Amino acid sequence: MYVHTRFLDTHDFGKVPCNEVFVLNNHETIIFDTPADNESSEELIKFATNHLNCKIKAVIPTHFHEDCVGGLEKFNEFNVPLFASKCTIELLRNKGVRFSKAIKSFDSLLTL
């Protein structure tokens, strides 16, 4: 496992840490959460594929805040499957957040 930390400047809370987690197994990885923007997400994708020599099997945002989903569109561009809980997807919809490809949903358990 790897933890990748970036910092996001917010209006309400100042500079806050944002973490992404890589879970690796046999040159495959699942990433939990994305950076807050597409540029940083592309750097993360290149790190996983080029430096760690892993195929990204999925991205799973753990909640609906920007520090968790801000870079999902970049993962879409790289054809990485996206999964999120039904609750997270509903919260994103309620905030008016839309993506170019659908996020696959799950209730309480997901096996990849």
Side-chain angles (χ1 to χ4, degrees), residues 23-30 54:
V23 178
L24 285 76
N25 185 28
N26 294 325
H27 296 286
E28 295 180 333
T29 187
I30 295 172
C54 287

Side-chain angles (χ1 to χ4, degrees), residues 9-24:
D9 288 319
T10 67
H11 183 263
D12 295 333
F13 302 105
K15 191 179 234 181
V16 296
C18 306
N19 300 305
E20 297 85 43
V21 175
F22 292 76
V23 178
L24 285 76

Side-chain angles (χ1 to χ4, degrees), residues 8-73:
L8 177 65
D9 288 319
T10 67
H11 183 263
D12 295 333
F13 302 105
K15 191 179 234 181
V16 296
C18 306
N19 300 305
E20 297 85 43
V21 175
F22 292 76
V23 178
L24 285 76
N25 185 28
N26 294 325
H27 296 286
E28 295 180 333
T29 187
I30 295 172
I31 299 174
F32 292 87
D33 299 337
T34 74
D37 59 66
N38 285 322
E39 180 182 345
S40 299
S41 290
E42 185 166 355
E43 290 177 17
L44 191 77
I45 291 165
K46 289 179 178 178
F47 175 79
T49 56
N50 299 333
H51 181 73
L52 298 178
N53 196 28
C54 287
K55 176 178 176 53
I56 304 172
K57 298 296 288 184
V59 172
I60 304 171
T62 60
H63 64 282
F64 67 97
H65 293 135
E66 177 185 7
D67 65 319
C68 206
V69 298
L72 282 179
E73 198 58 50

